[in-house]
Amino acid sequence: MPQLLFVLIFSIFCTSCQSAEPKADKAAAENIQPEQKVKPNAAVSAEPAKAVEHEVAARKYDYLEWDSILINNRVPLSTNRRVVEKHLGKPDSVVTPDYAHVCGNCHFCVGMDPPPYKLVYIKGLRLEQLQDSIAFWGADFRKNKKLFLTDGKTRFDRTTTLEKVKKLFNYETLKRNEDTGGFWIRLQPSKIISDASFILEFDESGYLTEFNFYFPC
């Protein structure tokens, strides 16, 4: 009998312990704070792109780099006969200059004695040729509506305006052409200042008519 009483009391004790454990676990669970959910960052709105003219985007150079300019985006200003004939065709005319009045300002001149170079005219262009070498002298956009020059940033053709060039460049000189009533702007052909320059001629309406290389005597 005492054994039976002991077993009964032990069973009751175990049952009470088991029933207490879930309560403790539940209480502990209730005290656990729910995991904080990390909210995704709000999308950062991109700053609206500033409206700027194509090419004008703060270019403002004083010069046009000779080596960067291409005729019709194909022919460099310093090139050879094969490249010219491949992309521009055969010359319209080839002229022998009066060497006595050249005054040493040709591309291939050394000192005051000019070599036997020729002037080549082709589709609105004036080029200088010595044997196989060819160098640019000028472009007349009135003679060829498809002709243009570009340095990869700016295109120069018959639709180019004086106002556009004034926005793009810190031009060295702006003067009125007394003969045509238009204007001309002088730009350096490199970052290094020299006597040579590009002369851009504009008509009375402000449209580009000629793009010439100039070197004084």
Side-chain angles (χ1 to χ4, degrees), residues 190-201:
S190 72
K191 192 173 183 178
I192 301 172
I193 296 181
S194 68
D195 291 334
S197 58
F198 289 120
I199 302 293
L200 280 62
E201 295 269 3

Side-chain angles (χ1 to χ4, degrees), residues 1-201:
M1 188 69 179
Q3 281 187 334
L4 181 60
L5 183 60
F6 174 77
V7 171
L8 182 60
I9 293 171
F10 182 77
S11 299
I12 293 170
F13 175 78
C14 290
T15 303
S16 65
C17 288
Q18 289 175 351
S19 62
E21 282 179 8
K23 289 181 180 178
D25 290 344
K26 184 178 179 182
E30 288 175 351
N31 289 330
I32 295 175
Q33 296 297 323
E35 185 178 351
Q36 297 280 337
K37 289 187 178 179
V38 179
K39 294 182 180 179
N41 292 330
V44 179
S45 57
E47 213 176 294
K50 293 181 180 179
V52 293
E53 278 186 58
H54 178 57
E55 308 160 317
V56 174
R59 174 170 182 155
K60 284 295 181 184
Y61 293 139
D62 299 324
Y63 64 94
L64 267 173
E65 191 67 52
W66 171 280
D67 292 332
S68 70
I69 299 175
L70 295 175
I71 301 167
N72 289 356
N73 207 26
R74 293 181 180 274
V75 181
L77 298 191
S78 296
T79 184
N80 58 62
R81 184 172 57 185
R82 181 184 59 82
V83 173
V84 169
E85 291 183 354
K86 177 181 178 180
H87 296 292
L88 300 175
K90 296 287 186 180
D92 299 321
S93 63
V94 178
V95 177
T96 300
D98 182 355
Y99 299 123
H101 295 88
V102 168
C103 78
N105 66 341
C106 64
H107 282 291
F108 304 110
C109 290
V110 178
M112 298 302 292
D113 297 320
Y117 72 93
K118 308 289 184 182
L119 292 176
V120 177
Y121 296 87
I122 175 172
K123 295 180 174 60
L125 291 165
R126 182 164 62 96
L127 310 172
E128 183 180 311
Q129 179 178 345
L130 178 64
Q131 298 176 358
D132 191 51
S133 298
I134 288 181
F136 172 84
W137 265 110
D140 190 335
F141 302 109
R142 296 166 298 186
K143 295 180 179 179
N144 184 353
K145 294 181 179 180
K146 295 181 179 180
L147 178 63
F148 69 93
L149 304 176
T150 180
D151 69 341
K153 297 178 183 179
T154 305
R155 176 180 169 123
F156 298 89
D157 59 23
R158 65 190 184 92
T159 66
T160 302
T161 64
L162 175 61
E163 289 306 311
K164 177 181 177 180
V165 173
K166 286 166 67 177
K167 289 179 182 178
L168 285 171
F169 297 94
N170 292 319
Y171 45 91
E172 179 183 308
T173 306
L174 170 61
K175 289 189 177 181
R176 190 170 192 88
N177 188 324
E178 299 298 335
D179 295 329
T180 65
F183 296 88
W184 59 268
I185 277 181
R186 183 196 305 273
L187 297 174
Q188 286 288 323
S190 72
K191 192 173 183 178
I192 301 172
I193 296 181
S194 68
D195 291 334
S197 58
F198 289 120
I199 302 293
L200 280 62
E201 295 269 3

